[in-house]
Amino acid sequence: MTFKEIQDLLKLISKLELAEFKLKEDEFELVVRTKEYYKGRGKGNIVSTAAPLLPVSTVPPSFAQPQAAPAPAPAPKAESAAPAKSESEESDESANYLPIKSPMVGTFYRSSSPDKAAYVKVGDVVEAGSVVCIIEAMKLFNEIESEISGRIVKVMVEDAQPVEYDQVLFLVDPKG
Amino acid sequence: MPNKNTLFVGKVSRRFSALPSTNDYAANWLLRERPAEGAAILADHQTAGRGQMGNTWDTESGQNLTVSVIFYPTFLLARDQFELNQALALAVRDAVANFTEKPVIVKWPNDILIGERKICGILIQNSLSGPNIQSSIVGMGINVNQEAFAPGLSRASSLYLETGQKIDLNDLMLTLFAHLETRYLQLRQGGIDNIRTDYLQHLYRRNERRQFAYPDGRQFYGTITGVDKNGKLKIETGGQVELFAIKDVVYVY
């Protein structure tokens, strides 16, 4: 995608007042989350996303206008106006997150049964030995313990979805 | 019939007249005290027994064998856990086969049948850390002397209903412990090839052309040919072998 196309897209997203927008094309991935998305969510949910090219974490509805001006206007917000910079920051940060991976093929469950609360959610602190999810395969139920301590920053798989061997289930910030 | 004097299975045990679930008790026991391998929990009556994810398991007080055994199969990779399932399901099958002349078979992945009627369910709950299994709680519910089942449970039966004989629960328990130990040690000592062979030999509907259904209700005829390394069921249908996970296939009777 060209920068112009991204600008047009952001304008459209702004106009539609979407909470979240995701686009994936080969290696390129764009995730836009607006204020709407974070309404009613805990602070722990504001996590950086693995968007290699333009990781716009938060796009205020007003974002598209200043960007539309071709002149090198002062950036309205450092993170959104300087993709190159935030990209490197982003990857540095992501690189410091540790994965909890699936040791087996199966189905991922976030809680022990459908009426129970999830073992962990974004923002929770886990310790080595904490149970983070269940993986079921052929009627065998497996409690997965974290081997690392830290704060859950992202849940990579949706509840009741199949997972492969070595697939990343959670990202953990070991700094807490 | 192995010697009923086991080395470790059932050497430590706790027995209750009633428990919500022997597996839940085992999980707490494990967490608090980490008892010796082979530790067993028995309940004359289980008030909140579970089958697969929410299914309840119906037991009449004092008539059946409800037991959970704790193992530490740290020698086994999590990804190879179906091997443990095969060994344990065979152990239960072997134990039950001591009490009846009728064929006792394993319905994939781990129900135990006499003929086409289910007399035992197994619920295995592992704890994994990294690539290995840390602990495994094996819950077994064997219908022994129960004389009747709810009308909705037409495929359930008991050893009594199949044999006409009342069975001593303690005798069955000791027999079960002995077979669990034999198969578990066989697995630990690298005997997986023999376990696989035996599992296939006793597998329900193997090499029989029978009717199955997809989750959407579409029915098909197929022949179970075996299981793959992950434990998925192989059914040959229309000249091809399809692999099925637990919720992907329904047996049609």
Side-chain angles (χ1 to χ4, degrees):
Chain A
M1 278 183 100
T2 66
F3 191 65
K4 176 76 172 70
E5 282 172 324
I6 294 170
Q7 279 185 318
D8 290 345
L9 196 58
L10 289 173
K11 271 186 200 170
L12 184 66
I13 293 164
S14 170
K15 204 175 284 177
L16 293 172
E17 296 183 335
L18 296 175
E20 186 179 28
F21 177 88
K22 286 185 186 174
L23 175 73
K24 198 169 179 189
E25 228 183 336
D26 299 324
E27 289 296 290
F28 173 80
E29 189 177 351
L30 174 71
V31 180
V32 178
R33 286 172 179 173
T34 68
K35 279 177 186 164
E36 289 298 316
Y37 179 84
Y38 294 106
K39 271 184 191 164
R41 284 169 183 257
K43 58 179 167 56
N45 267 301
I46 303 176
V47 301
S48 29
T49 52
L53 190 64
L54 186 71
V56 185
S57 308
T58 310
V59 181
S62 60
F63 170 67
Q65 277 75 22
Q67 277 300 303
K77 258 195 167 190
E79 67 164 310
S80 48
K85 182 163 174 263
S86 56
E87 180 191 348
S88 60
E89 277 175 359
E90 197 66 34
S91 47
D92 282 354
E93 203 174 302
S94 293
N96 291 331
Y97 295 157
L98 298 174
I100 299 175
K101 293 180 177 179
S102 177
M104 55 182 285
V105 176
T107 306
F108 171 85
Y109 291 101
R110 293 190 60 187
S111 59
S112 59
S113 66
D115 54 330
K116 296 264 171 67
Y119 286 107
V120 292
K121 53 190 190 304
V122 169
D124 284 357
V125 171
V126 295
E127 288 169 20
S130 299
V131 176
V132 291
C133 64
I134 295 257
I135 295 178
E136 176 272 338
M138 310 312 134
K139 249 172 86 182
L140 309 183
F141 295 88
N142 295 272
E143 286 186 341
I144 310 299
E145 292 180 4
S146 176
E147 289 183 287
I148 43 181
S149 301
R151 188 172 51 86
I152 301 283
V153 291
K154 194 164 171 62
V155 183
M156 304 296 285
V157 185
E158 292 201 24
D159 193 43
Q161 291 304 302
V163 290
E164 293 299 320
Y165 176 72
D166 240 12
Q167 185 174 340
V168 176
L169 308 173
F170 300 91
L171 286 180
V172 175
D173 182 353
K175 291 186 299 236
Chain B
M1 176 65 227
N3 189 328
K4 283 186 201 169
N5 289 320
T6 56
L7 294 170
F8 62 98
V9 174
K11 284 294 165 195
V12 178
S13 68
R14 290 183 179 178
R15 186 181 188 126
F16 300 88
S17 55
L19 268 187
S21 146
T22 53
N23 265 31
D24 286 356
Y25 186 92
N28 273 318
W29 195 10
L30 195 55
L31 207 62
R32 289 193 315 265
E33 294 172 43
R34 198 176 168 85
E37 180 157 52
I41 301 92
L42 293 119
D44 295 337
H45 182 49
Q46 197 174 221
T47 54
R50 266 165 307 141
Q52 192 192 335
M53 275 259 162
N55 292 347
T56 55
W57 178 255
D58 207 29
T59 64
E60 222 171 67
S61 184
Q63 302 300 309
N64 303 313
L65 187 62
T66 309
V67 54
S68 295
V69 178
I70 297 172
F71 291 98
Y72 302 112
T74 51
F75 57 89
L76 203 59
L77 288 172
R79 60 192 299 184
D80 294 333
Q81 62 182 263
F82 198 73
E83 297 177 4
L84 178 67
N85 176 65
Q86 287 176 299
L88 297 170
L90 276 175
V92 180
R93 190 220 74 87
D94 297 346
V96 170
N98 279 284
F99 294 85
T100 175
E101 299 292 312
K102 293 184 179 178
V104 184
I105 48 186
V106 179
K107 182 187 171 198
W108 172 84
N110 55 22
D111 285 341
I112 308 301
L113 313 182
I114 296 180
E116 291 210 330
R117 292 180 184 277
K118 177 171 169 176
I119 65 143
C120 174
I122 303 176
L123 178 61
I124 299 178
Q125 293 176 286
N126 299 321
S127 178
L128 312 185
S129 179
N132 287 89
I133 303 180
Q134 300 301 309
S135 62
S136 188
I137 298 169
V138 183
M140 293 153 283
I142 306 179
N143 297 333
V144 186
N145 293 325
Q146 190 161 335
E147 293 179 6
F149 290 88
L153 298 170
S154 63
R155 312 221 73 82
S157 189
S158 67
L159 266 166
Y160 169 75
L161 288 172
E162 297 302 319
T163 64
Q165 309 275 323
K166 291 277 181 173
I167 286 163
D168 180 77
L169 286 176
N170 201 53
D171 185 23
L172 176 61
M173 178 192 77
L174 293 175
T175 306
L176 175 65
F177 287 166
H179 283 282
L180 286 170
E181 184 165 293
T182 301
R183 288 294 187 178
Y184 184 76
L185 291 177
Q186 185 182 21
L187 177 68
R188 198 168 78 185
Q189 286 153 8
I192 184 58
D193 289 345
N194 288 331
I195 289 170
R196 283 206 188 97
T197 305
D198 292 352
Y199 185 86
L200 285 186
Q201 189 199 326
H202 296 292
L203 188 61
Y204 174 56
R205 288 194 180 187
R206 179 167 168 259
N207 292 343
E208 292 173 30
R209 191 171 147 77
R210 297 289 295 267
Q211 205 168 10
F212 300 89
Y214 295 105
D216 64 10
R218 275 184 301 132
Q219 297 195 347
F220 64 95
Y221 279 93
T223 306
I224 292 178
T225 58
V227 292
D228 83 347
K229 199 162 179 344
N230 291 319
K232 285 189 175 175
L233 187 66
K234 295 181 188 171
I235 303 180
E236 188 196 327
T237 179
Q240 289 191 3
V241 175
E242 290 187 32
L243 288 174
F244 294 88
I246 190 78
K247 291 191 179 79
D248 297 343
V249 64
V250 178
Y251 288 55
V252 178
Y253 292 93

